[in-house]
Structures are given as C-alpha cells and as structure tokens.
Amino acid sequence: MNRVSAIIKMHLRDKWISFFLPWAILLSSFLINVFISYLIHNQQSFYTGGLSSIFISITIIGAVTMAHTFPFALGMSVRRTDYFLGTSLAAILINVVSALLLSLLSVVENATDGWGVKMHFFNLPLLDTFNVLGHFVVYFVLLMHQHFLGFAISSIHRRFGLVGLFTFLAAALIVISSLALLLTHYKLWVGIALWFVGHFALFLGCLALAIILYALVSYALLRRATV
C-alpha cells in the first residue's frame, strides 16, 4: 500500500502536466471564445465545442504519463500491479477535481445566460436539464474514458513497440473509416444520434464499461511489457 501511495504522490507532484496544462489550454480557448462572442453580439444561444480541448488533452496526458513514469517506477523496484493501481487512483483524483470544476462552471454559465453572450462553452448539448450532480457524473465518465483510452494506447506501445502501435492505429483507422462510410451510405447517422438522445444513461453505461475494458487491457499489457 505504501508503494501505491508513492506512485499516487509521484503523479500528483507533477501538477503542471497532469492538471494545470489541460486547464490552461481549456481556459485559453474559453477566453478567446468569450472575446469573439462579445465582438459578434450573437442573439441566439450557441455551443462552441471548445470543451473538447480538455478531453483531447486528457487523452494525450493519459498516454504520455505512462510513457514517462513506467520505466522510472520499475527502476525504483515498484511492482507493476502497484504502479497500475497508483496511476489509476491518481487519475481518479485528478479527474474528480476537473469534473467538479467543469460542473460548477456549467452552473455559472447557465446562471449568467452564457456569460452574458448566450455562449455555451462548459455545457454539452442534452445536459441543459441536468443538475450539478448530473453534470459531474457525465464529465467524470467522459474524462475517465479519455484518460484510460490514452493509457491503453500507451500500454500497447510499451508492450509491442512502435510497430505494434502503428499496426493497431492503422487497424483502428480502417475500422472506424469503414464504419463511418457505411453509416453515411445508409444514412444512419441521424437515427443513431436520436437513439443516443433517448438512451443517454445507457450511453454513459457503455462508456463506463469501456473504461473497465481499457483498464483490464492496460493491466494485462503492462504485466508483460518491457522497460
């Protein structure tokens, strides 16, 4: 347990990479969007999509963190299981704080009519009727999904090297592109979007299952990975 705590402290010690950098990117995007919104004087509510920056950042951090800390931890005679548990718990702590901040900012955004310019930056479509707890759950699940997705991708690289990583990414690109082509050809995008709107809780449940899958895959790969 002491080694797990040490891994948690190791991740939390580097707050700039794990926490402040994603928020610096997000808030920079927010300030730019507010400034532009004040200039154009938009009369109707609109979503900027700028919130996606933190989810992209978290995915990258989930991948980079493992690449930087895994060899160091093993060099300090830390067990792979302890490293995985400590890294996972650190991710949970960091993303709890981020999800809480996003939830509070979304409440402020609603209370100020979109920061006085009808701009939705911290709110996502379909969440208008959610309370602060609902926002927190959604943001936490999304952040954890992206974090462990990045962690799983980095684990593939650690286990199989660059060739294995590029092979996986190429295969994923082929599958996603083929699926997108089929959905576009048969005009299924609208139907799928409407289905998710009507089954949003199920969608979150699927993301939660994906988090568990990423974690299991990452753990299995790290147990056999070379330093």
Side-chain angles (χ1 to χ4, degrees):
M1 188 62 189
N2 290 334
R3 291 183 176 181
V4 173
S5 300
I7 294 298
I8 295 174
K9 292 177 181 179
M10 178 185 69
H11 288 299
L12 297 182
R13 190 177 296 117
D14 192 5
K15 297 181 180 65
W16 171 249
I17 296 297
S18 61
F19 182 78
F20 290 119
L21 182 58
W23 275 92
I25 295 172
L26 179 67
L27 293 178
S28 298
S29 176
F30 168 70
L31 292 175
I32 292 172
N33 277 272
V34 169
F35 177 71
I36 295 175
S37 299
Y38 272 109
L39 291 180
I40 62 178
H41 299 291
N42 197 71
Q43 299 301 314
Q44 294 184 347
S45 297
F46 65 100
Y47 293 89
T48 66
L51 186 62
S52 61
S53 63
I54 194 169
F55 298 116
I56 296 172
S57 300
I58 288 297
T59 308
I60 296 173
I61 287 172
V64 171
T65 297
M66 200 274 284
H68 285 175
T69 60
F70 182 69
F72 174 78
L74 265 60
M76 299 298 291
S77 299
V78 174
R79 295 189 312 162
R80 294 165 191 253
T81 299
D82 293 334
Y83 172 81
F84 176 80
L85 290 175
T87 302
S88 299
L89 291 173
I92 291 173
L93 292 173
I94 292 168
N95 288 316
V96 162
V97 175
S98 291
L100 180 59
L101 290 174
L102 289 175
S103 303
L104 295 176
L105 287 169
S106 68
V107 171
V108 175
E109 185 170 277
N110 287 332
T112 58
D113 192 24
W115 311 100
V117 291
K118 301 183 181 301
M119 181 189 75
H120 293 291
F121 186 90
F122 295 101
N123 278 288
L124 295 172
L126 308 178
L127 301 188
D128 294 339
T129 59
F130 283 39
N131 57 23
V132 65
L133 179 59
H135 281 82
F136 172 80
V137 171
V138 171
Y139 292 138
F140 178 68
V141 171
L142 290 174
L143 288 168
M144 288 295 292
H145 177 271
Q146 297 307 119
H147 198 120
F148 273 91
L149 174 60
F151 194 75
I153 292 173
S154 188
S155 298
I156 293 172
H157 173 242
R158 180 59 58 183
R159 175 65 180 87
F160 298 108
L162 282 175
V163 174
L165 177 61
F166 286 141
T167 301
F168 167 77
L169 293 177
L173 180 61
I174 292 172
V175 172
I176 293 173
S177 299
S178 300
L179 182 60
L181 180 62
L182 289 173
L183 293 177
T184 301
H185 178 74
Y186 291 105
K187 300 178 181 179
L188 297 175
W189 286 109
V190 175
I192 292 175
L194 292 175
W195 186 90
F196 278 121
V197 170
H199 302 81
F200 194 70
L202 180 60
F203 172 67
L204 283 182
C206 291
L207 289 183
L209 290 176
I211 295 170
I212 297 173
L213 176 62
Y214 298 153
L216 292 175
V217 169
S218 299
Y219 179 66
L221 292 175
L222 288 182
R223 285 181 61 85
R224 296 178 174 274
T226 56
V227 179

